[in-house]
Amino acid sequence: MKELYCMSNYDVVIVGGGPIGMACGIAAKKAGLSYVIIEKGCLVNSLYNYPLFMTFFSTSERLEIGGAPFMSLAPKPGRQEAIEYYRRVKQMHDLNIHLFEKVEAVQSAATNGARYTITTSKATYHANNVVIATGFYDFPIYMDVPGEELPKVHHYYKEPHYYAYQKVLVIGANNSAVDAALETWRKGAEVTMVIRQQEIGARVKYWVKPDIENRIAEGSIKAYFQSSIAAVRDKEVDIITPEGIVTIENDHVLAMTGYRPDFTMLERFGVELSADWKRCPVYHPDTMETNLPGVYLAGVVCGGMETHKWFIENSRDHADKIIKHITISSPLQ
C-alpha cells in the first residue's frame, strides 16, 4: 500500500508542470489563491524529452510566462534555453510544484469543504477547482503494424549520433520527422522516409522545409510518398507504395507518427469528449471550464487529436481566463 504523506486543502490543484501549468500556478498565486502544481515527471517534462537540438517555431518573447523576459541568442530559442528559462521562472515565482508525482484520480466528493478529492501516487488533496494542463507528448500514436514492438522501433527521437552509419527509416512528414531525417543523414545515416501524403507537411518550419525538399530532390534522402508501413522485421521493413510492396534493409525505425493527450485519464476524471475522431474535450472557450463544475482545461490538451491547434504561444492566456472565472465563481471566495 502506498504511503499518503500529505492531506491538504487547496483552492486550485493544477495537473501538469509544463509551461501552461506553471502559468496557471503564477496566475493563481497572483490572485491570492492557494494552489499546488502536480507533475508526474521532472519540471517541464515534455520539453525535457524533446530532441536535444530542437528549435522552437515561436520566438522567445512568445514563449514567456509570468512576466519573466526570455532572452535567447538566436531568433528562435532551442530546447536547452527553454528548459533553463522555465526553471528560472519556477525559481523567480517560488512556485509550489510537486515533481515525480502522478495524479491517479479526480473524484467528486464533498469532503473537507471541497468539491473534489485528488489522489496521486504520493498523496491525497482536496480542492474546489482542478486545472488539467497535461499536454500530449507522453502518448505516441501507434502504427499498429507487425513488428512495431521490436526494440529497433522508436517513437521518440533524442539526438542523431546513435544512428550514425545505420540504415534509418523515418515515418512522417512534419517537424519531428523532418528534423530526425536531416540530423541523422548529416551524421552519416542512410535515410529513407515514408510519408502518407503527396508532399512534406505544410506546417514544417519554413527555414527547414526547403532543406528536406532539396535533399529528397537530389536523392540524398530517399522518400516514398503516399506510402505506409506494412511490417517491420529485425533487418527489413515492408513499405506499401503506389507501385506495390517494397522491402528495404533497415537497422532502425523512427516512427514520428505524432502524439495524443491521455484520453483515458480525461474520461476517468469524468471529462466529456467529442464523439468524432478529434476526441476534443468539452469546455467553454471563455472560461476553459469543462462539463464538470470547477474542472478546467489549459493548453494543448484542449485540442484533442488536433495537437497542432494549441501550443505555448497561443494558450498562455488560458491561465488568466481560468483564474478569473475561479475568483468570480468559486465557493471558497
Side-chain angles (χ1 to χ4, degrees):
M1 177 182 292
K2 69 183 179 185
E3 180 182 355
L4 302 180
Y5 70 75
C6 178
M7 184 76 71
S8 301
N9 272 25
Y10 291 95
D11 294 336
V12 190
V13 167
I14 300 162
V15 185
I20 303 304
M22 292 173 62
C24 291
I26 293 167
K29 186 171 184 177
K30 286 183 177 178
L33 301 176
S34 59
Y35 74 95
V36 61
I37 303 170
I38 303 173
E39 166 57 53
K40 70 177 181 180
C42 65
L43 186 69
V44 291
N45 192 67
S46 291
L47 298 190
Y48 172 77
N49 287 313
Y50 280 1
L52 289 181
F53 306 114
M54 191 277 287
T55 300
F56 283 86
F57 197 100
S58 301
T59 54
S60 57
E61 70 271 11
R62 294 185 178 273
L63 299 175
E64 293 175 355
I65 61 173
F70 185 178
M71 307 298 293
S72 63
L73 296 177
K76 311 282 187 177
R79 166 192 172 274
Q80 288 293 88
E81 291 176 299
I83 287 175
E84 178 60 15
Y85 168 75
Y86 291 115
R87 186 189 70 80
R88 293 297 299 271
V89 170
K90 188 276 182 199
Q91 186 176 34
M92 169 183 168
H93 288 278
D94 191 24
L95 292 174
N96 182 23
I97 301 181
H98 294 184
L99 300 173
F100 299 101
E101 182 174 348
K102 184 178 181 180
V103 173
E104 297 174 343
V106 174
Q107 296 172 309
S108 178
T111 306
N112 287 23
R115 279 189 293 205
Y116 295 101
T117 296
I118 300 92
T119 305
T120 77
S121 56
K122 297 180 178 179
T124 296
Y125 306 85
H126 301 291
N128 256 1
N129 304 282
V130 179
V131 178
I132 301 172
T134 46
F136 71 102
Y137 199 63
D138 294 326
F139 294 88
I141 298 173
Y142 292 104
M143 300 179 292
D144 293 325
V145 299
E148 187 170 14
E149 75 286 350
L150 291 173
K152 65 183 278 186
V153 179
H154 312 279
H155 288 277
Y156 293 91
Y157 166 73
K158 199 68 175 178
E159 58 93 22
H161 174 78
Y162 183 80
Y163 304 99
Y165 310 111
Q166 299 287 286
K167 293 179 172 64
V168 177
L169 184 71
V170 179
I171 304 169
N174 290 315
N175 282 300
S176 57
V178 168
D179 286 347
L182 288 170
E183 289 181 9
T184 54
W185 171 72
R186 289 198 162 93
K187 295 300 181 183
E190 181 181 319
V191 178
T192 302
M193 297 185 74
V194 172
I195 298 167
R196 285 189 177 274
Q197 299 81 16
Q198 299 182 48
E199 58 187 5
I200 293 296
R203 292 191 299 273
V204 169
K205 289 170 282 196
Y206 64 84
W207 63 92
V208 175
K209 196 167 186 283
D211 191 359
I212 188 65
E213 290 174 337
N214 288 336
R215 302 295 75 73
I216 291 171
E218 71 188 16
S220 298
I221 293 175
K222 172 70 174 178
Y224 291 95
F225 292 97
Q226 295 180 284
S227 302
S228 60
I229 298 300
V232 180
R233 294 181 294 279
D234 284 337
K235 288 295 180 182
E236 294 177 327
V237 174
D238 292 336
I239 306 169
I240 304 172
T241 77
E243 288 73 39
I245 296 287
V246 173
T247 299
I248 65 171
E249 293 183 1
N250 173 257
D251 298 310
H252 299 280
V253 175
L254 290 172
M256 303 290 98
T257 48
Y259 309 92
R260 62 170 181 82
D262 187 351
F263 296 121
T264 301
M265 180 197 72
L266 292 172
E267 291 177 316
R268 190 170 69 246
F269 292 175
V271 175
E272 293 180 3
L273 305 175
S274 66
D276 59 11
W277 68 270
K278 296 179 182 179
R279 306 211 70 197
C280 288
V282 173
Y283 68 94
H284 194 289
D286 294 332
T287 66
M288 310 309 293
E289 189 174 32
T290 68
N291 56 290
L292 300 172
V295 176
Y296 301 84
L297 300 178
V300 72
V301 69
C302 300
M305 290 297 292
E306 292 187 300
T307 53
H308 63 277
K309 185 175 181 179
W310 295 106
F311 35 94
I312 298 171
E313 177 179 328
N314 69 351
S315 61
R316 295 175 297 176
D317 67 333
H318 291 178
D320 291 332
K321 288 182 178 181
I322 292 168
I323 300 305
K324 179 180 178 181
H325 189 253
I326 288 174
T327 56
I328 292 173
S329 61
S330 175
L332 290 182
Q333 302 307 306

